[in-house]
Amino acid sequence: MPRHSRLGRFGVWSGAWGNALRGDGPADMGEFGDAAAELDALGYGTIWLGGNPAVDYAVPLLDAAPRVTVATGILSIWEYGAAEVAARRAALEERYPGRFVLGLGVSHEGFAERYARPYSAMREYLDALDSAADPVPAQARVLAALGPRMLELARDRSAGAHPYLVTVEHTARAREILGEHALLAPELKVVLDPDLDSARDSARGYLRLYLKLPNYTGNLLRLGFGEDDFRDGGSDRLVDAVFALGDADAVAGRAADFMAAGADHLAIQVVTGDPFRDLPRAAWRRLAEALPLDG
C-alpha cells in the first residue's frame, strides 16, 4: 500500500482543537465538530491536533467525521505516561479501527520540567510503549523528527516522521535518511494572502514564537540559515522557505515542491491572527479546491 494511505495526501494541522478540548477555547464544541465533518467531506485525509493534545482529544473529532484520520501533532513524552497512552490508544483502536495515529515528540526544554537527553528519552518511551499491556504498534505511531538521529529512530521504530517548521530541502534530506519505506509527513504553514509583503508580515508575527526555541533554530542552522535570518521575526529568505505564501494556487505549487522532495503527506496549517483559536474554514475550502486531495 502507498505510504500515505492511512493519512491521505493532505491534512489540516491546527492548535485550535487542542485548546478548545483542553478548556482554553470556546465552551461550545459544536463548531469544532462541524468543522471536522466538513474537512472530512472536502477530502482532507487527516486532522492533526496541535498543542500537545492527550489521546482522548481525538474522540469528538472521530465521532464527528466518519472517514478522516486523527493524529496528535504532537503528544509530549514528558507530559503523558507511556502506559496510559498505550491503553488509551488501544481503546481508540477498538472503537475507531485504523483511524488514529499517535504523533510523539520531545517538545522543548522550556516547556517540560524533566527535559533531558531527548533522544535517549524518546528511545526509552518507545521501549515502554512496546512493553505496555496494550502495546502501540510501530506502524501506529510517528515521531516529530528534525535531526538525523531522530529521523533514523523514526525510520527504525515507527511508521515515519512528522517534522514541524521545515523546508523543501529538509524534506529531501529527511527522505534520504528515512529511505523508501518510511512515511514522511511534514507540517507546512500557509498564509493565504496575495499581497506578498502583507503575507510575510503575518508569517513573521507567528514565526517569532518558534525562533525562540533552540530545537527549531538548531535545525534551521543545519539547513544553512544564519543568526541574521532569525532577527525581527525572520528574514525574507527564511519566511519564504518555511511558509507557503499567496493565493491558493501558489500554495498548491509550494505543496507540490514538498511532494517532489519526498513528502508523502502534508499537514497544512493555515496561519491567521490567532491560529491557536481560529478555525479558518473558508481558507480550508479554498485550499481544497486547489490541492490535489485525491492525488
Side-chain angles (χ1 to χ4, degrees):
M1 295 179 66
R3 292 183 299 247
H4 70 276
S5 59
R6 191 168 192 173
L7 301 179
R9 282 295 186 192
F10 294 93
V12 164
W13 192 105
S14 173
W17 315 100
N19 278 341
L21 291 160
R22 188 180 295 108
D24 297 335
D28 181 9
M29 287 298 297
E31 183 183 1
F32 286 80
D34 290 346
E38 182 178 19
L39 289 171
D40 194 336
L42 288 169
Y44 290 100
T46 301
I47 296 173
W48 292 87
L49 303 174
N52 188 21
V55 171
D56 288 345
Y57 287 12
V59 170
L61 305 184
L62 290 165
D63 281 339
R67 181 194 59 87
V68 75
T69 294
V70 177
T72 52
I74 52 78
L75 179 149
S76 169
I77 65 171
W78 311 105
E79 186 163 337
Y80 301 98
E84 180 182 2
V85 165
R88 293 185 180 277
R89 189 220 66 95
L92 283 191
E93 179 63 22
E94 182 175 354
R95 186 172 172 185
Y96 312 95
R99 294 185 56 212
F100 176 76
V101 172
L102 179 64
L104 300 168
V106 296
S107 186
H108 304 275
E109 186 169 8
F111 298 163
E113 291 183 4
R114 298 184 293 113
Y115 190 95
R117 302 167 51 249
Y119 174 78
S120 297
M122 179 60 82
R123 289 186 58 184
E124 292 164 4
Y125 197 91
L126 295 174
D127 290 342
L129 292 179
D130 289 342
S131 61
D134 298 293
V136 178
Q139 291 306 306
R141 62 200 190 200
V142 295
L143 307 188
L146 292 175
R149 293 180 73 205
M150 199 66 83
L151 284 164
E152 290 170 354
L153 189 63
R155 177 194 65 202
D156 297 339
R157 301 288 303 275
S158 79
H162 173 51
Y164 188 94
L165 193 66
V166 291
T167 65
V168 170
E169 182 181 357
H170 181 274
T171 300
R173 293 185 184 184
R175 174 50 66 200
E176 290 180 1
I177 294 170
L178 291 170
E180 62 178 313
H181 299 299
L183 174 77
L184 180 53
E187 173 267 353
L188 175 62
K189 295 173 181 59
V190 167
V191 178
L192 273 180
D193 185 344
D195 182 327
L196 189 56
D197 290 336
S198 173
R200 284 176 176 152
D201 286 344
S202 297
R204 288 188 177 94
Y206 193 38
L207 188 56
R208 282 186 175 89
L209 299 171
Y210 297 101
L211 295 181
K212 300 175 183 178
L213 301 174
N215 289 4
Y216 292 130
T217 55
N219 186 57
L220 294 168
L221 289 169
R222 284 194 297 269
L223 291 169
F225 295 97
E227 295 291 343
D228 287 345
D229 289 302
F230 305 153
R231 302 186 197 284
D232 302 320
S235 66
D236 285 356
R237 182 170 79 106
L238 176 60
V239 168
D240 292 351
V242 297
F243 280 80
L245 308 173
D247 61 17
D249 288 337
V251 171
R254 191 75 173 135
D257 294 339
F258 276 82
M259 294 298 191
D264 301 299
H265 169 96
L266 275 183
I268 300 292
Q269 180 182 183
V270 174
V271 174
T272 67
D274 192 354
F276 282 92
R277 293 183 183 272
D278 293 339
L279 293 177
R281 297 174 66 173
W284 293 336
R285 293 179 198 124
R286 291 201 300 276
L287 290 172
E289 294 176 353
L291 294 168
L293 297 186
D294 298 326

